[in-house]
Amino acid sequence: DQQVKQNSPSLSVQEGRISILNCDYTNSMFDYFLWYKKYPAEGPTFLISISSIKDKNEDGRFTVFLNKSAKHLSLHIVPSQPGDSAVYFCAALGGGADGLTFGKGTHLIIQP
Amino acid sequence: SQTIHQWPATLVQPVGSPLSLECTVEGTSNPNLYWYRQAAGRGLQLLFYSVGIGQISSEVPQNLSASRPQDRQFILSSKKLLLSDSGFYLCAWSGGTNEQYFGPGTRLTVT
């Protein structure tokens, strides 16, 4: 079963606007969450993370929000730039697994 | 700074042939090392995890094996490849923090 879910396979956003990528999880034992950005045929690049004891973490244009009661997190990118076009993976740590548990990814397309 | 290398970048192998993918990390000592696979249309799945030389944990039963002969070297192997082994294989490392850092990946096509 999919413990980390990214229900939007793709998202199209106009350049300069805000991009919001969503992620839901089912395992309440996850205690750390990460977002990765991936270009085709390359390895994922770490973007930003958040501990389960926090509800927000900000780094430049990227902000991650965590709603533990809803088991939901989101990544906000503002303003969106053409170079942000990529696949974004949500990942979780903990829950009894040794490594990261990934969602299937959301393909973000920034329109000029 | 730390860097992670994987080779080869791409590989096409016939069914039943052996496999060896290599991953090395530079600029850090005693890292945790991971092998992940991304199959077509799917997210990344953890295959193996290592906390030290000779210490390997397997997440899912499969046709693959892993070894860590040196502190910063992680090898993924198979004796006989299956069609279902096709995918994008990623090595990652972590050390002291929760973040994992990925290599460039190997695209494996089994024909």
Side-chain angles (χ1 to χ4, degrees):
Chain A
D1 65 331
Q2 195 80 13
Q3 296 189 67
V4 177
K5 301 177 184 178
Q6 294 177 257
N7 292 319
S8 299
S10 65
L11 175 68
S12 185
V13 175
Q14 204 163 15
E15 181 180 356
R17 306 293 291 268
I18 183 171
S19 296
I20 301 176
L21 298 108
N22 293 304
C23 178
D24 298 292
Y25 61 95
T26 59
N27 191 333
S28 57
M29 298 301 291
F30 288 140
D31 55 10
Y32 202 82
F33 302 90
L34 307 91
W35 283 95
Y36 286 85
K37 174 182 179 180
K38 186 180 181 300
Y39 293 117
E42 293 184 10
T45 302
F46 169 72
L47 276 178
I48 192 169
S49 59
I50 187 167
S51 166
S52 60
I53 63 173
K54 295 186 176 182
D55 55 18
K56 178 182 175 182
N57 188 26
E58 190 173 355
D59 183 1
R61 295 188 299 116
F62 302 93
T63 303
V64 55
F65 295 92
L66 175 62
N67 183 334
K68 279 187 67 177
S69 61
K71 294 190 177 69
H72 176 84
L73 65 155
S74 61
L75 174 67
H76 293 211
I77 306 173
V78 55
S80 300
Q81 298 174 354
D84 296 331
S85 294
V87 177
Y88 288 78
F89 288 97
C90 171
L93 196 62
D98 290 323
L100 295 170
T101 302
F102 281 87
K104 291 187 178 182
T106 296
H107 186 193
L108 177 64
I109 301 163
I110 304 302
Q111 305 277 11
Chain B
S1 64
Q2 300 86 4
T3 56
I4 179 168
H5 305 278
Q6 285 186 247
W7 63 90
T10 60
L11 191 59
V12 181
Q13 292 282 97
V15 168
S17 64
L19 173 75
S20 181
L21 303 180
E22 190 163 343
C23 169
T24 58
V25 181
E26 296 178 357
T28 186
S29 297
N30 195 31
N32 293 332
L33 296 173
Y34 309 83
W35 278 110
Y36 290 86
R37 175 173 60 199
Q38 183 182 19
R42 305 185 68 177
L44 283 77
Q45 180 186 33
L46 178 68
L47 301 176
F48 298 97
Y49 164 58
S50 173
V51 297
I53 296 173
Q55 301 179 66
I56 310 293
S57 297
S58 174
E59 285 293 306
V60 293
Q62 57 210 316
N63 184 42
L64 303 167
S65 62
S67 62
R68 185 168 177 176
Q70 300 180 43
D71 181 46
R72 288 169 286 177
Q73 184 185 31
F74 205 21
I75 297 172
L76 183 70
S77 304
S78 174
K79 292 181 179 178
K80 289 185 178 182
L81 284 169
L82 306 172
L83 285 173
S84 58
D85 292 324
S86 293
F88 192 50
Y89 288 82
L90 289 153
C91 181
W93 73 273
S94 68
T97 68
N98 288 322
E99 288 75 19
Q100 294 181 20
Y101 300 94
F102 286 82
T106 295
R107 171 72 61 191
L108 172 66
T109 304
V110 182
T111 60

